[in-house]
Amino acid sequence: MATLNGRVAVVTGAGMGIGKGVAGALAREGASVMVAEIDRAAGEATAAWLRDEWGAEAEFVSTDVTDKAQVVGMVDAAVRRFGRLDVLVNNAWRGSGYARLENMTDDQMRGGFDMAVMAAFWAMKAALPELQRHGTGRVINLCSLNGVNAHMYSVQYNAAKEALRTLTRTAAREWAPKQVCCNVICPGAQSEAYRRMADGNPQMASAMASANPMGRIGDPLEDIGPVAVFLAGDASRYLTGNTLFVDGGAHINGVQWAPAVD
């Protein structure tokens, strides 16, 4: 029996990469999924894939997570469509370029925090009434090894993702009495950002895969998705405030990350 039958999830940035993989894994285990995505074509394609591949109840909602009204509307749309909300996955990110810290602009820094921190903050606040309603509430926030290991040339991403980890831990402590579990996944997977980096820095991508203890970069559906399923289900009901490094062991000694920038 699928472990998430009857549960409803919202996944932001589910049109591609890790978000799509997580949405697929949740649907495969029986969850209904609201695909929240700014790219309409990608979002609708993911929702169709979930329906066609696993027979899931899945819908697309156009969402720019840097717009508070749209984030609140995303949560409301899921509840209206499916009648409840059990799992909130904050994953969305739009690339904002690589630059040395001294060349990073104020807009890039603010954009990173709007995308990662404020978006999750708004979504979590909007979702809480539903998350606590059935005792099955789960928040899964996607953070990054970039912040943990302080990778070069992406300070806006690194800082925002580490702030999101703190937001998650604070919510975990405050919401534990409500039986709402909040956890973080730091994935090492073939995200869209990774693929763009690999296209421009193939030698570095090859070195990163070789340096990974498992010798490869993870698959969003098969390597990251099942951990999200675990965090979304009953097996993790006593687990909160944790960061799970789902990266083939890459966090142990750090990862080489030095894309070519001016």
Side-chain angles (χ1 to χ4, degrees):
M1 181 179 294
T3 60
L4 297 178
N5 278 345
R7 306 289 172 88
V8 174
V10 169
V11 183
T12 71
M16 58 192 73
I18 292 172
K20 181 178 180 180
V22 167
L26 296 174
R28 185 167 60 187
E29 286 298 320
S32 299
V33 180
M34 182 61 77
V35 175
E37 171 63 52
I38 195 170
D39 184 325
R40 176 172 293 275
E44 290 180 341
T46 293
W49 174 59
L50 301 180
R51 293 191 296 264
D52 295 344
E53 188 73 17
W54 292 290
E57 293 286 330
E59 298 289 344
F60 160 71
V61 58
S62 179
T63 310
D64 178 351
V65 298
T66 65
D67 183 322
K68 180 178 180 179
Q70 292 190 41
V71 172
V72 174
M74 164 194 82
V75 172
D76 290 344
V79 177
R80 285 197 308 270
R81 172 61 181 84
F82 300 115
R84 59 187 288 165
L85 178 59
D86 304 275
V87 183
L88 172 64
V89 181
N90 289 300
N91 164 77
W93 177 267
R94 286 197 302 275
S96 51
Y98 301 122
R100 296 179 183 276
L101 189 147
E102 62 269 24
N103 297 327
M104 194 68 65
T105 68
D106 290 356
D107 285 345
Q108 284 175 300
M109 287 296 292
R110 292 191 187 99
F113 276 78
D114 284 348
M115 178 69 63
V117 183
M118 296 308 298
F121 174 68
W122 295 327
M124 290 164 67
K125 286 180 64 176
L128 180 60
E130 283 297 319
L131 294 177
Q132 65 182 341
R133 192 177 304 279
H134 303 288
T136 54
R138 306 285 187 268
V139 175
I140 304 169
N141 289 333
L142 275 294
C143 292
S144 179
L145 295 176
N146 280 43
V148 175
N149 292 332
H151 291 179
M152 293 190 290
Y153 313 139
S154 55
V155 66
Q156 81 285 26
Y157 181 72
N158 303 0
K161 288 295 189 176
E162 283 296 272
L164 179 57
R165 281 216 299 158
T166 297
L167 170 64
T168 310
R169 286 169 53 82
T170 303
R173 180 63 188 91
E174 293 186 11
W175 294 354
K178 304 177 188 294
Q179 308 305 308
V180 175
C181 299
C182 304
N183 291 290
V184 165
I185 294 176
C186 282
Q190 298 177 42
S191 65
E192 293 302 307
Y194 171 84
R195 292 189 179 108
R196 287 194 298 271
M197 179 281 300
D199 288 343
N201 300 267
Q203 291 183 328
M204 191 181 88
S206 178
M208 287 174 63
S210 297
N212 186 287
M214 290 191 173
R216 62 185 179 86
I217 306 300
D219 178 79
L221 175 63
E222 300 300 342
D223 292 318
I224 311 303
V227 178
V229 168
F230 164 67
L231 291 177
D234 291 339
S236 66
R237 68 178 192 170
Y238 201 54
L239 177 71
T240 196
N242 281 273
T243 297
L244 303 186
F245 295 97
V246 189
D247 62 358
H251 68 283
I252 299 168
N253 294 316
V255 177
Q256 175 62 28
W257 179 268
V261 301
D262 295 331

